[in-house]
Amino acid sequence: MISTRELTKTFEVSRTETVHAVRGISLTVEPGELVAVLGPNGAGKTTTLRMLTTLIAPTSGTAEVAGYDVVAEPSQVRRQIGYVGQGNGAGHSQRVADELAGQGVIYGLDRRAAKLRAEELLESLELKDLARRKVSELSGGQRRRLDVAMGLVHAPKLLFLDEPSTGLDPQNRANLWDHILRMRAQYEMTIVLTTHYLDEADSMAERVVVVDHGHVIADDTADALKASLAGDQLILTVAPSNHAAVRRLAGHLPGARDLAVDGDQFTVRVTHGPTALPILLGATHQLGVPVAAAQVHRPTLDDVFLNLTGRSLREAGTNGKAAA
Ligand SMILES: Nc1ncnc2c1ncn2[C@@H]1O[C@H](COP(=O)(O)OP(=O)(O)OP(=O)(O)O)[C@@H](O)[C@H]1O
Ligand SMILES: [Mg+2]
């Protein structure tokens, strides 16, 4: 459904300043996949989506979307895709139903078909009661649902969602996801989305692509990324005088690495926490070392990012800039 090779975008901001927003992204997305693109602010996510949706031209590299080249065949690409931009702005006094039907007409449906399609989407995205409201009067969550409906008007094979749930409360986020997943099943869509919510990428996407400084730095299932790049962590509360003994014992656990102490907390990374913890506790017990508390910390996608970059994704505020 998507195939890019060394896709690159450079912005010449001024004579002295060049922004390397995307630096050679090669990516393949199969039909039916749900892929989450994850990365800190300025990583190049939106720029990548804008190239794939033909809104901006790549500086170099190639991209085929739904079988068409984004540079040579942009109108064919557009017919196959839906795009819900980051903070979409249909912010005017149109009524919800008219806004949606109007979008259908833009995409080449005749008025009657556009109206029917709008009704169908209002129904399935639970916007029916709001059909006569003005777009500018909707709440953030209702508005985002309308944005998603706008992206679906022409029944695209492929839907791009740029931070669909940003700014929504947990209830509305859950609702929106519910709708997106239902739409996906109903229309057999391929979905590529960006998000800052790690838990969302973790639970919803089958595949996570991590982008940093315009590069893809990881691409796999969330589980595989967590297993290979972070690993489980055991955290034991032990008196500092016993740390040396615990360290010796922990060193023998399968996959033991990153042994560290912080105050009376001893930590070690292992291949599989739930099996390693009882082994370690058995050994400390035999040696007569008292353990005040013990826990297994299973990694999150943030741990994966930290492991890859040395920065936390929650805190990374990089702007991806580099001198020309
Ligand atoms: N039109 C533009 N002109 C100049 N620089 C741009 C332009 N669009 C994006 N950039 C720069 O390119 C880099 C990547 O931006 P992009 O919007 O792709 O990031 P992002 O990963 O979507 O970030 P966020 O998570 O904040 O949405 C940033 O440094 C940004 O300032
Ligand atoms: Mg963005």
Side-chain angles (χ1 to χ4, degrees), residues 129-195:
D129 296 344
L130 304 170
R132 305 306 307 155
R133 291 263 200 98
K134 287 180 184 164
V135 175
S136 55
E137 289 165 3
L138 299 181
S139 78
Q142 294 164 343
R143 176 69 169 276
R144 214 54 189 139
R145 287 215 302 276
L146 176 61
D147 288 340
V148 172
M150 300 275 281
L152 289 170
V153 160
H154 55 300
K157 281 193 211 163
L158 172 59
L159 182 64
F160 292 97
L161 301 166
D162 200 353
E163 296 191 26
S165 55
T166 294
L168 303 188
D169 63 34
Q171 176 73 45
N172 270 314
R173 263 173 71 191
N175 267 340
L176 182 69
W177 267 104
D178 207 50
H179 291 305
I180 291 172
L181 296 179
R182 221 153 15 85
M183 298 279 107
R184 178 195 182 203
Q186 195 176 341
Y187 299 110
E188 294 179 359
M189 269 185 305
T190 308
I191 300 180
V192 176
L193 63 96
T194 72
T195 178

Side-chain angles (χ1 to χ4, degrees), residues 41-42 44-47 86 162-163 194 196:
N41 290 136
K45 304 179 297 294
T46 297
T47 305
Q86 190 170 359
D162 200 353
E163 296 191 26
T194 72
H196 282 277

